[in-house]
């Protein structure tokens, strides 16, 4: 199959030039191993059915034997034998910290108690997500998020997106799974459904070798899907899950299942941004519910692309998840993080994109053109409150937003007179 260049390719190259080892982590089926193989010179796959038992025995007796091979050496699904982490760290030290020795990949977080050393300075961590629209060749890439931050004179007017609303819906249903890109439309949607079933039937228990009920896992993911991009409380999710007569679980059990899904990188909630521009009691601090990829929500809801075409309000929430997935991919080399802003007066920014140098963007996601004016109003009002606060409290000023962006499902990019950028999702690139 054709290899599609990933944002992670350059990130991996940069880290291999600076660190002895690199850990690529993230949800399964996102292409971590394939991306690593583009630069690895030897490969050891811990889950090779013919060799897995032997590898585990070797890891228990003399893990350094598994590290022998041309470098960079890829060790895939290393978390099956956590001792490999310390073996890699020791090997890097013994080689004087020489960069580019090992690549580790893993689809779930490991029990940190089984690791003796953090690996700081030796092992660099990087996160991979499902493919963005630019990586899947569905975005024109006419607007660069890096240029928006770095070039104050960047002209986006007239840049065009590649997908209309029905095409965006189909891209969301298919998801950013590399295996789906070269399949027929019908076959491609089966990848996300299979992912959903695999998580519920197998991964939810294998992640930490704790038996869990697939029916409960399904109900939790369906509740998350119904509450995607909202601030649903855990009590509401629990009530949703236990509405079925077949399921009766406690809040502690719900927390256990959610924790397992987070270890698998399936659930990815977004925390609140709470700047001191309102009374604390006015701010909503609840996390925003979400997944690593919008297709998981579609699969959990068991809805088709045709069905979503008549449920554009529902797709609006799913569209938000597409936006955050792509924004995270495009700014991963900035060590970015994402939060949300929402207060009790209805003022909001769907996403706040923070870079590691303190620059940030206020972002609203609006599927249709009719909502753009409202979104711009929200972003400008937050900006006004920050300026107002800084005038009153000059000793500790808040940084003003570097960008105000509305990401849309529309066709054309432009900059408004109030400074807000309006950009089609299918026109963005790193």
């Amino acid at each position: 199959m054709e290899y599609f260049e990933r944002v992670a390719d350059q990130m991996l190259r940069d880290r291999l030039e600076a660190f002895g080892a690199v850990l690529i982590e993230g949800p399964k089926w996102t292409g971590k191993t394939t991306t690593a193989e583009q630069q690895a010179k030897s490969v050891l796959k811990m889950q090779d059915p013919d060799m897995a038992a032997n590898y585990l025995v070797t890891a228990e007796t003399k893990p350094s034997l598994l590290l022998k091979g041309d470098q960079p050496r890829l060790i895939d699904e290393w978390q099956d034998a956590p001792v490999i982490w310390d073996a890699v760290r020791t090997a890097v030290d013994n080689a004087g910290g020489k960069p580019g020795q090992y690549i580790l990949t893993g689809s779930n977080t490991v029990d940190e108690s089984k690791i003796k050393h953090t690996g700081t300075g030796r092992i660099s961590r990087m996160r991979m997500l499902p493919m963005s629209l630019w990586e899947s060749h569905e975005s024109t890439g006419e607007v660069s998020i890096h240029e928006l931050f770095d070039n104050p004179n960047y002209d986006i007017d007239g840049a065009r997106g590649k997908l209309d609303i029905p095409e965006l819906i189909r891209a969301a249903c298919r998801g950013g799974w590399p295996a789906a890109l070269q399949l027929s439309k019908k076959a491609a949607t089966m990848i996300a459904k299979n992912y959903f079933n695999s998580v519920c039937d197998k991964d939810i228990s294998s992640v930490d070798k704790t038996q869990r009920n697939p029916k409960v896992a399904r109900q939790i993911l369906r509740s998350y899907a119904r509450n995607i991009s909202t601030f649903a409380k855990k009590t509401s999710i629990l009530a949703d899950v236990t509405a079925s007569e077949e399921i009766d679980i406690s809040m502690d059990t719900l927390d256990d299942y959610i924790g397992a899904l987070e270890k698998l990188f399936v659930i990815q909630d977004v925390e609140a941004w709470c700047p001191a521009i309102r009374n604390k009691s006015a701010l909503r601090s609840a996390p925003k519910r979400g997944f690593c990829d919008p297709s998981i929500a579609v699969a959990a809801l068991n809805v088709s692309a045709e069905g979503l075409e008549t449920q554009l309000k529902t797709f609006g929430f799913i569209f938000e998840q597409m936006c955050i997935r792509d924004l995270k991919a495009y700014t991963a080399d900035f060590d970015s993080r994402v939060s949300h802003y929402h207060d009790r007066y209805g003022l909001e920014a769907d996403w706040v994109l923070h870079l590691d140098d303190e620059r940030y963007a206020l972002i609203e996601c609006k599927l249709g053109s009719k909502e753009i004016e409202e979104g711009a109003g929200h972003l400008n009002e937050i900006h006004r409150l920050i300026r107002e606060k800084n005038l009153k409290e000059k000793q500790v000023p808040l940084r003003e937003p570097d960008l105000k962006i509305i990401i849309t499902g529309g066709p054309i990019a432009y900059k408004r007179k109030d400074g807000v950028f309006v950009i089609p999702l299918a026109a963005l690139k790193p």
Side-chain angles (χ1 to χ4, degrees):
M1 296 179 68
E2 178 187 358
Y3 180 73
F4 285 55
E5 186 80 8
R6 305 292 299 272
V7 175
D9 287 307
Q10 186 59 50
M11 291 174 59
L12 179 57
R13 279 191 285 270
D14 292 342
R15 281 163 171 73
L16 286 172
E17 290 180 2
F19 296 92
V22 179
L23 166 64
I24 308 175
E25 55 187 356
K28 67 175 188 176
W29 299 7
T30 54
K32 299 182 298 298
T33 304
T34 304
T35 291
E37 286 176 331
Q38 307 308 303
Q39 299 181 50
K41 293 185 178 177
S42 66
V43 180
L44 183 143
K45 297 189 176 183
M46 291 297 297
Q47 294 184 349
D48 180 342
D50 291 335
M51 296 298 297
N54 289 326
Y55 290 154
L56 291 175
V57 171
T58 303
E60 289 295 323
T61 54
K62 195 168 184 179
S64 61
L65 294 176
L66 299 177
L67 306 187
K68 290 186 176 182
D70 293 339
Q71 296 178 342
R73 180 160 174 77
L74 166 60
I75 304 173
D76 184 44
E77 300 297 349
W78 72 275
Q79 76 280 349
D80 287 1
V83 69
I84 287 176
W85 180 274
D86 288 307
V88 167
R89 189 261 306 174
T90 300
V92 170
D93 281 347
N94 291 341
K98 183 184 76 172
Q101 297 181 59
Y102 302 101
I103 306 171
L104 307 178
T105 60
S107 298
N108 55 267
T109 54
V110 73
D111 183 351
E112 298 290 343
S113 67
K114 296 181 179 180
I115 294 175
K116 295 180 180 179
H117 193 282
T118 61
T120 301
R122 288 87 157 180
I123 306 174
S124 175
R125 294 173 180 258
M126 58 177 278
R127 179 74 59 87
M128 274 189 73
L129 291 171
M131 298 178 83
S132 63
L133 292 179
W134 184 73
E135 291 171 306
S136 61
H137 301 178
E138 292 168 291
S139 169
T140 61
E142 292 185 16
V143 179
S144 164
I145 193 74
H146 286 66
E147 281 288 309
L148 282 170
F149 273 106
D150 294 340
N151 182 359
N153 299 316
Y154 188 41
D155 182 10
I156 70 164
D157 288 352
R160 299 189 69 88
K162 196 173 183 178
L163 306 180
D164 59 20
I165 299 298
E167 289 168 329
L168 283 169
I169 290 173
R170 278 158 180 76
C173 293
R174 183 208 63 221
W177 314 108
L181 295 184
Q182 298 176 54
L183 301 176
S184 67
K185 291 181 180 179
K186 181 179 179 181
T189 60
M190 295 175 66
I191 299 293
K193 290 180 180 178
N194 195 33
Y195 181 95
F196 171 75
N197 288 328
S198 177
V199 166
C200 297
D201 294 336
K202 184 175 68 173
D203 300 338
I204 191 73
S205 296
S206 65
V207 62
D208 55 7
K209 296 180 174 59
T210 300
Q211 188 60 43
R212 295 184 177 89
N213 189 335
K215 288 183 179 180
V216 175
R218 278 184 169 78
Q219 286 301 106
I220 291 172
L221 288 177
R222 283 171 181 152
S223 179
Y224 252 77
R226 285 191 285 268
N227 292 291
I228 194 171
S229 300
T230 73
F231 311 103
K233 295 180 179 179
K234 283 187 178 179
T235 50
S236 298
I237 294 173
L238 180 62
D240 200 6
V241 171
T242 56
S244 167
E245 295 181 359
E246 299 179 3
I247 297 175
D248 183 15
I249 62 171
S250 66
M251 180 60 74
D252 286 343
T253 300
L254 176 67
D255 285 337
D256 172 70
Y257 275 72
I258 289 176
L261 292 167
E262 288 174 338
K263 286 181 181 179
L264 291 165
F265 304 104
V266 174
I267 283 177
Q268 294 187 1
D269 291 344
V270 176
E271 298 302 317
W273 180 54
C274 298
I277 59 174
R278 292 279 203 197
N279 184 295
K280 283 187 177 181
S281 63
L283 298 177
R284 293 186 181 272
S285 58
K288 208 173 204 183
R289 305 301 176 187
F291 295 108
C292 66
D293 191 87
S295 65
I296 302 174
V298 176
L301 293 171
N302 196 27
V303 63
S304 66
E306 291 74 20
L308 282 174
E309 287 184 9
T310 62
Q311 301 175 52
L312 289 184
K313 183 176 181 180
T314 297
F315 181 64
F317 293 113
I318 294 171
F319 178 70
E320 280 192 38
Q321 296 295 306
M322 293 182 74
C323 293
I324 192 173
R325 179 199 66 191
D326 288 11
L327 286 169
K328 284 181 176 180
Y330 299 155
T331 59
D333 59 339
F334 278 141
D335 289 328
S336 65
R337 64 183 178 87
V338 178
S339 63
H340 71 82
Y341 176 88
H342 195 87
D343 65 30
R344 298 186 187 278
Y345 303 102
L347 186 61
E348 66 177 353
D350 289 326
W351 310 118
V352 185
L353 177 64
H354 307 262
L355 308 188
D356 64 347
D357 60 5
E358 298 187 355
R359 290 182 293 169
Y360 70 96
L362 300 176
I363 300 170
E364 282 271 74
C365 304
K366 300 299 181 185
L367 189 59
S369 58
K370 293 181 180 179
E371 303 165 301
I372 288 175
E373 195 63 39
E374 179 189 19
H378 285 169
L379 301 182
N380 288 324
E381 177 62 9
I382 295 172
H383 194 174
R384 186 193 69 78
L385 288 171
I386 291 171
R387 284 177 171 167
E388 186 178 89
K389 186 266 180 189
N390 288 343
L391 288 173
K392 292 179 180 178
E393 301 178 32
K394 297 182 179 180
Q395 299 88 346
V396 189
L398 284 171
R399 185 184 182 101
E400 294 186 22
D402 296 270
L403 294 170
K404 293 174 288 184
I405 300 172
I406 297 175
I407 301 178
T408 78
I412 300 177
Y414 58 94
K415 185 177 181 180
R416 291 166 47 103
K417 292 181 179 179
D418 56 12
V420 176
F421 292 94
V422 179
I423 308 170
L425 178 61
L428 276 174
K429 72 173 182 179

